[in-house]
Amino acid sequence: MNGPEIGRRVVLQRFAQALALGAGTGALPSRPSRGAAPEAAVDVRLGEPIGTIKPALYSQFAEHIGGVIYDGIWVGPDSKIPNVDGVRRALVEHVKQLGKIVIRWPGGCFADKYHWRDGIGPRALRPRRFGRWREETETNQFGTHEFIRFCRLCGTEPYLAANIGTGTAEEFQQWVEYCNAPAGATTLADERVANGDREPFGVHYWGVGNESWGCGGKFTPEDYCREYRRFTEWVPGYNVPLYLIAAGPNGNDVDWTRRFFQKWADYARAPIQGWAPHYYCGTTGHALKFTTDQWYEMFHKALKMESLIADQWRTLGEFDKEHHIKLVIDEWGTWHPEGTEINKRHLFEQMGCLRDALVAALTLDTFNRHADKVDMANIAQLVNNLQSLFLADGDRFVATPNFHVFAMYRPHHGAQAVRLEVESAEVSFQAAGRAAAIPRVAGSASRQGKALTLTLVHTHASEPVEVTIRLRDGAAAAVQQTVLTHESLNAHNTFELPEVVTPKSTVTDLKGATFVCKLPAASVTRLDVRLV
Ligand code: AHR
């Protein structure tokens, strides 16, 4: 479960029995308080840098599916819902708070049936097609120009996923040219200008296929590699360095990765900058009704991101010894069965609660700890879908607890990740009739000059924990603590009650090279440490 990068994890035996009794009782979410808080220790190795945390680790994914684009992002310029050029204004205001992230579009599975020319030109004249999902009509009102406008309004970068499943290599190359060629250079560039955008879109990130083992064509890794090479054999750059992303495996399927790269090495080393596995934490339960065992089980699944990164990285290294190719986890998140959607049209929409927020935090901490290996990660999906940051329906809009985690982690953007070692007891629980365990405390740390950001997730469902923080090679002059928690494990924000789960900050009197910090049960904590 935990790779070496988590650091030395010592289980403190003296707490093991109490935890075994206190955890995984199978009861519905509730938080009885019990006895004195046991300890954990965190060593922050300020002198051991890992790599710069790219803001792109906090990226998003927006697909033409259910309510993500239509209703979530696009309401249309004539709508009564406050909008900027047709894009929901409340969403723009919130996405701006996420920093200089990347947004992946138009899919997902949708990308492999999407023909970009359907989404350009006067909106009234655009063709209507069957959508990829449920065969709803895709009106193409939101196309390339609208997406780029959305990204620019939010201060984010676009990532376009090209159609390899039902499209052609030429169609892909022409999309790149349409987006990136300077005005006047080619007929396609002039068509872009005629459609309203003189300035090239300067799209850097391009996905070449999506889930090619599944909805993206059901290829074998070898066949996908052949197609990938054909699509990328010649792609116009137009002064924009292209970052090409190949579709990786379903979860941590090392065999898929090895077979693809074996073919890649034998056949021709087509340009690849990013390798994109997808990993979802699925449940058979319910987004809001779960037992404490299911609470822990979800984190057990989330923590598998650690071994996914380690295994995929090692496999890439067999073929790309200097590691020019980085990981791009361009779909990740929780996936609960239907039942909590706010609008039945919003396929895969789920109500994100405190449990999802902790999954987000555990996963983002994992990415931070691997800042040298992961170039980008995109939670699925931005709005009205799986582990969404926002829910919107008509004129109603709410930020989920997931959003607050992303906002809390913002100080990590652009900072230097430093090594963290966590010692804590494990929490034991039952998953599918078998005993399992997860660490009580996990986290990540980063430094920017005198500012140290430490984020910690405390997974225990009912007891607080006291953590001794030891700063190696440094000392704290001041510490501010921001906490996201709630006494109900399934607490969530609704249109009617939008601030049930929101972070609270306090200025502490903690200081020095060693200090003790209390983490509530079921919480995400950020410590903003001003170093001496
Ligand atoms: O995020 C929903 C779907 O999940 C995406 O379209 C697909 O790539 C994945 O299987």
Side-chain angles (χ1 to χ4, degrees), residues 61 63 65 108-109 133 210-211 278 280 331 335 348 380-381 385-386:
F61 169 36
E63 176 170 11
I65 177 174
C109 295
W133 304 94
N210 166 75
E211 298 196 351
H278 287 176
Y280 286 99
E331 287 185 31
W335 194 321
F348 298 157
Q381 302 194 16
N385 198 254
L386 298 170

Side-chain angles (χ1 to χ4, degrees), residues 171-459:
E171 185 183 5
F172 166 52
Q173 289 155 8
Q174 290 187 348
W175 200 12
V176 178
E177 182 176 325
Y178 183 85
C179 290
N180 290 356
T186 72
T187 304
L188 279 168
D190 290 346
E191 191 178 357
R192 184 193 68 237
V193 176
N195 286 331
D197 276 289
R198 166 158 287 277
E199 275 308 300
F201 295 148
V203 180
H204 174 55
Y205 297 108
W206 292 89
V208 187
N210 166 75
E211 298 196 351
S212 302
W213 40 265
C215 66
K218 295 198 178 65
F219 293 109
T220 63
E222 292 81 10
D223 286 347
Y224 171 56
C225 185
R226 205 171 294 118
E227 283 303 283
Y228 182 92
R229 183 183 114 160
R230 217 163 57 74
F231 271 64
T232 57
E233 184 63 24
W234 182 81
V235 198
Y238 294 109
N239 303 324
V240 180
L242 300 185
Y243 188 107
L244 299 174
I245 298 163
N250 183 11
N252 189 10
D253 183 348
V254 168
D255 184 53
W256 167 275
T257 301
R258 194 168 279 127
R259 283 175 58 188
F260 176 94
F261 280 99
Q262 190 62 60
K263 183 81 188 167
W264 177 79
D266 292 350
Y267 180 61
R269 295 180 166 246
I272 301 180
Q273 280 71 41
W275 178 244
H278 287 176
Y279 179 65
Y280 286 99
C281 304
T283 45
T284 49
H286 188 275
L288 296 177
K289 294 179 200 151
F290 48 84
T291 64
T292 39
D293 278 329
Q294 289 169 325
W295 163 266
Y296 294 118
E297 188 182 4
M298 188 54 85
F299 307 144
H300 190 258
K301 288 180 179 168
L303 287 163
K304 287 187 194 290
M305 187 64 85
E306 180 79 26
S307 50
L308 183 150
I309 292 172
D311 295 347
Q312 293 294 319
W313 186 251
R314 199 177 314 108
T315 311
L316 289 179
E318 293 169 16
F319 304 92
D320 173 34
K321 298 217 172 340
E322 289 170 6
H323 281 297
H324 296 294
I325 302 170
K326 305 284 195 242
L327 290 168
V328 169
I329 319 286
D330 59 12
E331 287 185 31
W332 67 270
T334 54
W335 194 321
H336 308 297
E338 61 181 27
T340 57
E341 45 292 68
I342 48 165
N343 181 327
K344 286 285 171 205
R345 202 189 69 73
H346 297 177
L347 182 65
F348 298 157
E349 183 173 69
Q350 60 194 34
M351 185 58 79
C353 71
L354 184 65
R355 179 173 62 157
D356 302 276
L358 265 73
V359 167
L362 287 170
T363 309
L364 294 172
D365 281 325
T366 307
F367 296 148
N368 288 346
R369 292 194 302 270
H370 293 285
D372 53 334
K373 306 179 187 70
V374 187
D375 262 1
M376 190 195 318
N378 310 63
I379 191 170
Q381 302 194 16
L382 179 67
V383 53
N384 289 349
N385 198 254
L386 298 170
Q387 196 173 351
S388 293
L389 277 65
F390 310 105
L391 298 174
D393 189 28
D395 60 358
R396 301 181 300 167
F397 179 87
V398 67
T400 70
N402 298 311
F403 164 75
H404 294 297
V405 171
F406 275 72
M408 278 173 73
Y409 277 50
R410 180 103 191 250
H412 281 305
H413 294 205
Q416 179 64 238
V418 294
R419 194 86 49 206
L420 196 71
E421 292 183 355
V422 180
E423 294 175 23
S424 83
E426 290 188 326
V427 190
S428 311
F429 63 98
Q430 294 285 315
R434 296 169 65 174
I438 55 166
R440 275 188 78 145
V441 178
S444 69
S446 70
R447 178 184 189 164
Q448 213 149 180
K450 293 272 182 212
L452 167 71
T453 303
L454 179 59
T455 43
L456 295 171
V457 181
H458 181 215
T459 58

